[in-house]
Amino acid sequence: TYPNLTDAASFNEKVSYLYIAVGERDTVSPPANIRRLKDSLDRLGIRSTLRVTSDEHSWFNWRRYIAEFVAGL
């Protein structure tokens, strides 16, 4: 089951690293929506990392995101 988002302490205990990444020109996941998600997580007290890059939804960015995600584990 998924951790309960309303219990930040429990969520943060179960999910040690939540990494969110988006490109400024991304049309698959518009950056404004991703920023609202990050703001909501912050308000709930859920730890997360947001990475916004200057490009779009591309393999170049995916490779960068994967490298950063793995480095954060």
Side-chain angles (χ1 to χ4, degrees):
T1 63
Y2 293 103
N4 186 344
L5 290 175
T6 60
D7 183 356
S10 176
F11 186 94
N12 289 331
E13 184 179 305
K14 292 176 183 173
V15 179
S16 60
Y17 186 55
L18 179 57
Y19 178 85
I20 307 164
V22 65
E24 275 296 336
R25 298 184 323 196
D26 201 327
T27 57
V28 176
S29 301
N33 292 348
I34 301 304
R35 285 188 178 95
R36 280 195 296 276
L37 170 63
K38 172 66 170 138
D39 291 344
S40 295
L41 293 171
D42 288 347
R43 277 194 305 279
L44 290 169
I46 295 174
R47 291 186 310 261
S48 62
T49 299
L50 173 62
R51 172 76 156 112
V52 180
T53 56
S54 61
D55 207 359
E56 57 194 5
H57 196 89
S58 66
W59 282 112
F60 177 80
N61 277 341
W62 271 87
R63 286 190 299 268
R64 181 184 338 184
Y65 299 155
I66 291 170
E68 290 175 1
F69 172 75
V70 169
L73 293 177

